[in-house]
Amino acid sequence: MKFLIITQVYWPDTASTAQHLTDIAEYLTSQQHEVTVISGRHAYENPSIKYKPAEERNGVIIKRIKSTSFGKKNVAGRLMDFFTFNCSLVFKLAGLKKKEADVMI
């Protein structure tokens, strides 16, 4: 089965959500499922850290999309990061083919 996980944070980010989704994704690959993650490129705690746009870890394909990186300092910055991530996500998902995922998380 093909899984697509959508999250603003994923490994190597240390945010709790990133850690839990990494565990789920890697478990699914250990069960012979195909897993792709679409995630943001900046670290949650330190937005100056920028991750690779694409990589594979333990069988999980990770694709990272662009967004702003204002971080958690104020509400306006958080909202802008969330908004730009979701705008980029809309374009990324519009380009997906129907057969690329059986399940979206």
Side-chain angles (χ1 to χ4, degrees):
M1 189 170 271
K2 295 179 183 181
F3 286 83
L4 176 62
I5 298 174
I6 300 168
T7 178
Q8 197 167 355
V9 291
Y10 189 76
W11 174 89
D13 207 308
T14 58
S16 178
T17 300
Q19 293 176 16
H20 291 301
L21 288 174
T22 300
D23 291 343
I24 290 167
E26 291 180 2
Y27 172 78
L28 289 169
T29 59
S30 76
Q31 301 300 305
Q32 308 308 313
H33 297 288
E34 293 180 32
V35 180
T36 300
V37 173
I38 297 176
S39 178
R41 288 195 65 193
H42 298 277
Y44 183 69
E45 296 293 334
N46 183 354
S48 64
I49 297 172
K50 192 173 183 180
Y51 303 124
K52 295 177 185 178
E55 61 185 306
E56 185 177 330
R57 178 178 190 257
N58 295 334
V60 178
I61 298 167
I62 308 164
K63 299 177 181 180
R64 297 191 178 95
I65 57 178
K66 293 181 180 180
S67 64
T68 56
S69 59
F70 294 109
K72 302 185 334 177
K73 291 180 184 174
N74 60 56
V75 173
R78 283 185 183 202
L79 287 172
M80 185 58 75
D81 290 349
F82 183 74
F83 177 76
T84 57
F85 173 79
N86 282 289
C87 286
S88 292
L89 182 60
V90 166
F91 288 105
K92 185 73 171 177
L93 293 176
L96 289 181
K97 295 178 178 42
K98 191 174 184 177
K99 298 286 183 184
E100 289 188 54
D102 298 312
V103 177
M104 289 179 135
I105 300 173

